[in-house]
Amino acid sequence: MNAMRLVVVGAGGRMGQTLVRAIQSIEGARLAGAIEHPDSPHLGKDAGVLAGIGEIGVTISSDTLPVFARADGVLDFTVPAATVQFAFYAAQAHIVHVIGTTGCSADDEEKIKAAARHTAIVKSGNMSLGVNLLAVLAKQAARALGADDFDVEILEMHHRHKVDAPSGTALLLGQAVAEGRAIELQANSVRSRDGHTGPRPTGAIGFATLRGGSVVGDHSVILAGPGERITLSHHAEDRAIFARGAVRAALWAHEQKPGLYSMLDVLGFSEGRAGN
């Protein structure tokens, strides 16, 4: 069986280089292309050399369409505007699109959903097995522990260079809690507190954001009740966990019909498909 031909967009960045290393180490996948923006200093370099694994014969390019035309899938941990454009290109080429980009607006999400009518897209705020298991546990805990007795707070910390907040993972966990309690996250989330805020609203899902140093990603779901507190946590120590999850998602999606999927679908945790 031929290996799945994968393209990494943003190949010169930290996550892009991690994806290149992951692809080369996983059976059934191979790097078929590496894309960077037209002003990148990495254009023309060998993607393997840049990633620290030696020459692999894949040159970093800014010419997206021809590279996509020769591929089976694309791994994308870039920025929302670029991701929307890549979703359009992937839909045109009918290749799998795995999206780890966070910070997408509602309009971005609608455009990605439209692209998913033409190809399989896996989109998740976090690609790791552990975080997606944490989301399942958070949903079950929120369902079992009622909002009248247990308050939910989601705490996350990332490195100083992260540009969006709350993190995509924090929002993924918040959505899991909201689904567990059969409420809308947007209508019940509290993103900041400052000054005289008054008492905490019953049923609110609070978010706290920390930034600093080189933290890859720490997330906790705290359920605080009268006289007791439950904390469900995940600590990411290496970006490779997200890269391996993304490659796994691509291999899974290669066998699927067009549609918008999540990592819960990939890992078999989903109660239903993410939708078209």
Side-chain angles (χ1 to χ4, degrees):
M1 182 177 179
N2 294 331
M4 186 177 183
R5 300 166 298 175
L6 295 174
V7 175
V8 173
V9 292
R14 287 176 299 175
M15 192 61 205
Q17 293 176 42
T18 305
L19 288 165
V20 168
R21 291 191 292 270
I23 290 168
Q24 293 302 101
S25 69
I26 294 175
E27 186 177 355
R30 71 175 180 87
L31 187 68
I35 298 294
E36 264 293 348
H37 61 83
D39 298 323
S40 172
H42 302 303
L43 293 180
K45 295 180 180 178
D46 186 281
V49 172
L50 186 62
I53 57 174
E55 190 168 328
I56 57 176
V58 176
T59 302
I60 298 176
S61 167
S62 62
D63 202 2
T64 305
L65 291 178
V67 175
F68 276 32
R70 299 190 298 269
D72 300 310
V74 55
L75 308 184
D76 176 5
F77 287 69
T78 57
V79 296
T83 289
V84 168
Q85 192 64 56
F86 291 137
F88 176 72
Y89 291 155
Q92 279 189 316
H94 300 290
I95 62 174
V96 169
H97 189 186
V98 176
I99 301 173
T101 303
T102 58
C104 292
S105 68
D107 184 57
D108 295 333
E109 298 286 0
E110 285 303 314
K111 291 176 180 176
I112 291 168
K113 187 180 291 187
R117 291 198 287 267
H118 305 283
T119 195
I121 296 178
V122 179
K123 184 177 185 299
S124 179
N126 195 296
M127 296 285 173
S128 87
L129 171 62
V131 160
N132 283 279
L133 177 59
L134 176 60
V136 173
L137 296 175
K139 181 176 180 178
Q140 292 175 340
R143 181 182 293 147
L145 304 173
D148 290 339
D149 294 322
F150 281 83
D151 301 317
V152 176
E153 293 287 317
I154 297 171
L155 173 66
E156 58 106 339
M157 183 171 184
H158 284 82
H159 53 86
R160 66 179 64 177
H161 302 292
K162 188 165 179 61
V163 297
D164 59 307
S167 69
T169 303
L171 294 173
L172 180 153
L173 295 171
Q175 184 61 40
V177 169
E179 290 175 5
R181 290 189 167 169
I183 60 175
E184 290 291 330
L185 176 61
Q186 190 64 36
N188 292 278
S189 67
V190 176
R191 305 290 181 88
S192 64
R193 297 185 178 99
D194 186 31
H196 187 74
T197 61
R200 189 184 197 281
T202 299
I205 301 172
F207 291 85
T209 297
L210 306 178
R211 294 286 179 267
S214 58
V215 177
V216 174
D218 290 348
H219 295 86
S220 295
V221 179
I222 303 166
L223 298 103
E228 59 183 335
R229 185 170 67 252
I230 300 164
T231 302
L232 305 172
S233 297
H234 179 272
H235 304 282
E237 299 173 353
D238 189 337
R239 284 185 181 81
I241 64 173
F242 311 128
R244 290 193 296 269
V247 176
R248 179 172 176 176
L251 294 171
W252 177 87
H254 196 29
E255 306 298 324
Q256 308 304 315
K257 296 178 180 179
L260 182 59
Y261 302 91
S262 74
M263 279 301 287
L264 295 180
D265 296 301
V266 176
L267 300 171
F269 291 149
S270 181
E271 295 175 359
R273 212 173 91 178
N276 292 323

